[in-house]
Amino acid sequence: VSVEQCFGGKWTEEKLKRLKKYLRAYTIIFDKNVKAKFFITTYVDGFAGTGSRFISKEEEDIMLPFFEDEDVINFKQGSAQIALEVEPSFDRYIFIELNPNFASELKNFRQRYPHKANKIKIIQKDANNFIQDWCSQTNWAKNRAVVFLDPYGMQVEWDTIKAIAETKAIDLWILFPVGQAVNRLLTKRKPPEGIWAEKLTKIFGTEEWKKAFYAEEKQTSLFGSKQKAYAKTANFDTIGKFFVKRLEKIFAKVAHNPLQLCNSKNVPIFLLCFAAGNPKGAKTAVKIAENILSR
Ligand SMILES: C[S@@+](CC[C@H](N)C(=O)[O-])C[C@H]1O[C@@H](n2cnc3c(N)ncnc32)[C@H](O)[C@@H]1O
């Protein structure tokens, strides 16, 4: 596992560019390959937003003169739009968005794709609840899917990732909030307790993070009594590797070069990870994803 790369500033574009490349490769395989053609393909966007990327008025004024440039126009697309414009097309699209205003914007957005409108479901629910139910209710002998999980922070629960892996039929792209969220919760002097600890356990699906991210030392106090002391050993790299190892426990294969996405100050915020659930397809899927992640 190597997580050294750092993409600052335009990290939103970096993640979407990779998603787009993967979706293209995926639908080509399912369109052309005789065996793969048998399956119904679905794209699921767990944190879909509005369809287009949010651009502030100020940003728009600055960018307007450049809208002739196709790349800049692409940057305005959100993940839902990118998925809808990929050809060959998926058979179905599920866009999940908790915010009612955003979900209704997604419904307006669907009208821009009349020829695909009947393939698109918009679900205004919590992505964790919906995806867990959908994974257990779908007939995976006939279905295959790509799930994209792009939260703002620590919203994705390990139980959701586990449900996805258990289908053995889903390719997962996930943004893991390595920096802004997880690293911040890992307090310096001792492991966090209470709600913070619960949050970490929920995202990793285990309490092992305590041992993985803290070294325990025995100290003798001034009065001679023995005390436990902790030192944080975790950094962005070890946190990322720990998460990838967790994925490896439940998926058929996981990309070894997740992409570190950094803010404009070059501080890592997310790690873009890929995991493939289908034992037969995993080797090819991960090969394609690793290739996409490496550039
Ligand atoms: C980073 S944005 C998604 C951006 C989108 N993927 C794109 O490329 O345009 C995260 C979105 O998740 C939504 N959200 C937050 N918590 C959620 C939850 N529990 N379930 C579903 N959506 C949620 C937010 O309202 C927000 O629109």
Side-chain angles (χ1 to χ4, degrees), residues 15-16 45-54 77-80 96-99 102 125-128 148 150-152 155:
K15 80 181 169 193
L16 293 175
D45 206 318
F47 299 80
T50 57
S52 306
R53 253 187 61 212
F54 326 121
Q77 298 180 336
S79 50
I96 310 160
E97 172 54 55
L98 188 59
N99 181 315
F102 292 176
K125 280 188 184 160
D126 167 62
N128 291 291
F148 180 52
D150 179 20
Y152 280 140
Q155 287 84 9

Side-chain angles (χ1 to χ4, degrees), residues 281-294:
K283 206 174 150 199
T284 309
V286 168
K287 203 173 154 194
I288 296 171
E290 284 185 342
N291 197 343
I292 290 172
L293 284 165
S294 72

